[in-house]
Amino acid sequence: MHVHVDPPSDQLSRAELMLETLQTEGFLTLTQMVHATGIPRSSAHRLLERMVRLRWLLRVGDVYEIGVRMFELGSEGVRTHWFYRLARPHLFELQQRTKLVVHLAYLDGGDVVYWEKLDGEFGAHIPTRIGGHQPAHRTALGKALLAAEPEEYLHSPVFDRMKPGTPRTIVTREELSREVGNVRRDDIAFDRGEGLVDIGCVASAVSAGQAMSSDGRHTVAAISICGPLDHIDSRMVSAVRSASREISRSVGVNPMSKA
C-alpha cells in the first residue's frame, strides 16, 4: 500500500479511489484505507459505510471488501452492452470453428482489458479472465488495438518502460512501433509466445462506426484466438479475419450515434 499525498476532495473521486484500492488490496480496515488513500478518517468512514448500505462494499467486523452489487453491475454492464450483444454470436462461432480460446477486449491506456473469454480446449493453460488486464505490448489484442490508434499514441509515457512477459516480448518503443506498423499494413496481429511461453494468438480490431465517446475516441474492440503456438496457422488467421469482418458488419452503425 502507498499513501496518496494529495487525496481527492470530491466524494465521487474518493469513492473511486477507495474502490480501486480495495481492488488492489482485496480487503482493508478503516485505518488501512486511510493510510492507503490519504482520505481523512471521518470522511473515509462515512463514505465506506454509505457504500456498505448501497451493497457496493461488504463489511465483516471492521474489514471492508468489494460487495456483491459491484459484481452484479459489472456483469450486467458487460452482458447488456450493445457492442457485446452484436459481437457475441460471432465469438461463439469463432470458438466452435477453431476450438481455441477466444477473447474480446478493449484498450485502456497501455493495457488491454478482457471483455469476454470463451474457453476452448486450452483454456486452462491461458490464465486470462473477464475484467482482467494485460500489458498491450505483450498481446496480439494489444497490438491490434494500438494499430487502430494514431501513431502518437505510442509516445505515451506508459510505453517508456515495457516489462517482458517472456524472452520474446517486445520491450522497446521502436520494436513496438514497427510491429504496430505491420499490423496496420496487414490488418492482423500476432503474439508469438510473447505473453505466455509457447502460447500464440492472432487478433484483429473491430471499430463500431463513427460515434465519438466521452474520452475522445471511437468505440474500438479487438478479437483474438489463442492456443499452442503450433496450432496457429493460416487457417486460424483466416478464421479471425472472417469473424472480424462479420462483427464489423454487425456493429458498423453505432446506435449511440443516433441518440
Side-chain angles (χ1 to χ4, degrees):
M1 293 186 293
H2 60 283
V3 175
H4 289 257
V5 177
D6 187 19
S9 58
D10 65 281
Q11 295 300 299
L12 185 58
S13 295
R14 286 179 172 181
E16 179 187 25
L17 177 56
M18 287 178 168
L19 290 169
E20 289 178 345
T21 304
L22 284 171
Q23 183 181 30
T24 300
E25 301 296 336
F27 51 86
L28 294 171
T29 64
L30 171 60
T31 298
Q32 291 170 328
M33 179 65 77
V34 170
H35 178 72
T37 63
I39 297 172
R41 186 181 184 89
S42 59
S43 298
H45 183 256
R46 284 196 301 271
L47 193 50
L48 285 168
E49 288 301 312
R50 173 62 175 161
M51 289 193 283
V52 168
R53 290 193 294 273
L54 292 170
R55 296 169 58 233
W56 292 8
L57 300 183
L58 176 68
R59 177 168 49 78
V60 180
D62 62 351
V63 177
Y64 297 88
E65 63 181 351
I66 298 294
V68 65
R69 185 57 181 153
M70 297 304 295
F71 294 114
E72 292 171 351
L73 289 171
S75 177
E76 290 167 8
V78 168
R79 303 299 174 183
T80 61
H81 193 283
W82 67 269
F83 189 104
Y84 174 84
R85 292 201 310 270
L86 293 173
R88 192 167 184 261
H90 303 292
L91 300 178
F92 275 99
E93 184 177 337
L94 180 61
Q95 197 276 325
Q96 290 298 309
R97 180 176 175 182
T98 64
K99 308 302 181 185
L100 299 182
V101 176
V102 173
H103 291 116
L104 174 69
Y106 59 90
L107 188 64
D108 182 19
D111 290 348
V112 296
V113 182
Y114 292 96
W115 199 345
E116 177 63 290
K117 177 184 181 181
L118 302 179
D119 284 330
E121 297 176 3
F122 307 99
H125 301 286
I126 301 174
T128 51
R129 61 179 177 82
I130 296 172
H133 291 234
Q134 284 291 333
H137 68 279
R138 297 183 191 175
T139 68
L141 286 164
K143 295 172 191 176
L145 289 164
L146 289 172
E149 297 292 334
E151 179 64 30
E152 55 266 25
Y153 194 90
L154 294 179
H155 298 300
S156 168
V158 298
F159 299 109
D160 286 348
R161 291 186 177 182
M162 292 180 280
K163 296 181 180 179
T166 75
R168 293 188 173 189
T169 307
I170 289 173
V171 292
T172 69
R173 185 179 275 109
E174 291 74 19
E175 290 178 293
L176 183 60
S177 181
R178 282 196 298 271
E179 184 81 355
V180 169
N182 292 337
V183 177
R184 291 195 182 104
R185 181 194 65 208
D186 301 331
D187 201 28
I188 201 80
F190 295 94
D191 163 8
R192 305 172 181 87
E194 298 158 57
L196 295 167
V197 174
D198 295 330
I199 297 295
C201 303
V202 184
S204 181
V206 180
S207 180
Q210 295 299 312
M212 191 72 78
S213 62
S214 57
D215 62 2
R217 296 162 58 199
H218 299 297
T219 302
V220 177
I223 61 169
S224 74
I225 56 172
C226 298
L229 270 172
D230 58 7
H231 284 57
I232 305 301
D233 55 24
S234 59
R235 294 173 301 162
M236 300 303 168
V237 174
S238 296
V240 171
R241 288 187 188 277
S242 176
S244 178
R245 286 194 298 268
E246 292 302 317
I247 294 173
S248 294
R249 292 191 186 100
S250 297
V251 303
V253 178
N254 190 328
M256 295 180 69
S257 65
K258 302 176 182 179

